[in-house]
Amino acid sequence: MRRSSKSLPLALAAFWLAGAVPALAAPPAAAPAASTPVAPAVPEGPTDTLVAALTCRTTVADLSRLLPRLRRERPTEFVQTERQYSAPMMDLYRLEEPVNAWGHESDAVLITDNRVLLLVDSPIEQATAQLERTLEESKDAPLSGALDDAHALVVYADERPGLRGRTLVGCEYRLPDISLLADPADAWRTPRP
């Protein structure tokens, strides 16, 4: 039985009132106009780099060093990909312990050139409903504090092998020429002239 998305307009209206509308589709977003993006506020105290990246809490200044930092902090999890995809390029990593983000828990993370995503073991209707419940129940800092011109919440399904019937939930970083996959340790990715 399919669940209707009648409550989705309410969630989107809440985003709109907060001044932030999430992206609920997979197509890449155009880079913002010539304005310089403002980094979201970062909570004081220790943070988990991966959870911060999944929940749009990574500052613009820290994005270029995200993958090397994840490899340093989680060397057994981000050294070798479990699977790689192309068009667009995505690397799937398996975590030793599940992480929580946007009301979901998973031990699988996908990183693209401009997204950090949690791979959720449920269809998009269920994943969206869980996201809506989490946002409604959240008493933490307002979501608009994490989303701005450079950060967007994304929720979508992908039909590639290993991803069918599952949902990707996470953050899209909307900056020109960004590549979260760029790391000198992955020199094989860089095309040679």
Side-chain angles (χ1 to χ4, degrees):
M1 180 171 106
R2 284 181 66 104
R3 180 191 173 278
S4 78
S5 295
K6 291 181 181 175
S7 59
L8 184 57
L10 294 175
L12 293 176
F15 282 116
W16 180 76
L17 289 173
V21 178
L24 293 175
S35 66
T36 303
V38 177
V42 177
E44 290 185 28
T47 60
D48 182 324
T49 299
L50 177 58
V51 173
L54 286 163
T55 58
C56 297
R57 304 260 183 220
T58 301
T59 64
V60 172
D62 288 336
L63 281 175
S64 65
R65 298 181 304 274
L66 181 64
L67 192 53
R69 187 171 171 192
L70 287 172
R71 287 180 173 166
R72 216 174 29 255
E73 292 178 8
R74 296 172 175 256
T76 59
E77 297 170 328
F78 284 93
V79 170
Q80 179 65 46
T81 60
E82 178 173 309
R83 189 166 197 166
Q84 294 179 320
Y85 298 93
S86 61
M89 283 190 354
M90 295 194 307
D91 288 351
L92 173 64
Y93 295 93
R94 190 66 61 178
L95 307 176
E96 292 174 359
E97 296 290 327
V99 295
N100 289 293
W102 302 111
H104 294 283
E105 182 177 271
S106 179
D107 67 346
V109 172
L110 279 147
I111 298 180
T112 73
D113 276 330
N114 68 336
R115 294 176 177 178
V116 181
L117 305 160
L118 199 60
L119 182 59
V120 178
D121 284 327
S122 58
I124 192 159
E125 295 87 1
Q126 289 176 340
T128 302
Q130 177 60 40
L131 173 66
E132 290 172 9
R133 282 191 298 276
T134 300
L135 294 175
E136 288 171 3
E137 296 168 2
S138 175
K139 294 181 181 163
D140 293 333
L143 185 60
S144 60
L147 302 179
D148 57 21
D149 289 343
H151 301 77
L153 167 61
V154 289
V155 178
Y156 66 98
D158 197 303
E159 292 303 313
R160 287 183 254 197
L163 304 179
R164 280 188 199 99
R166 301 164 90 184
T167 304
L168 297 162
V169 180
C171 189
E172 176 177 282
Y173 294 92
R174 296 178 171 177
L175 300 171
D177 302 322
I178 186 172
S179 178
L180 299 177
L181 295 173
D183 183 354
D186 294 333
W188 58 270
R189 284 188 189 274
T190 308
R192 294 185 179 188

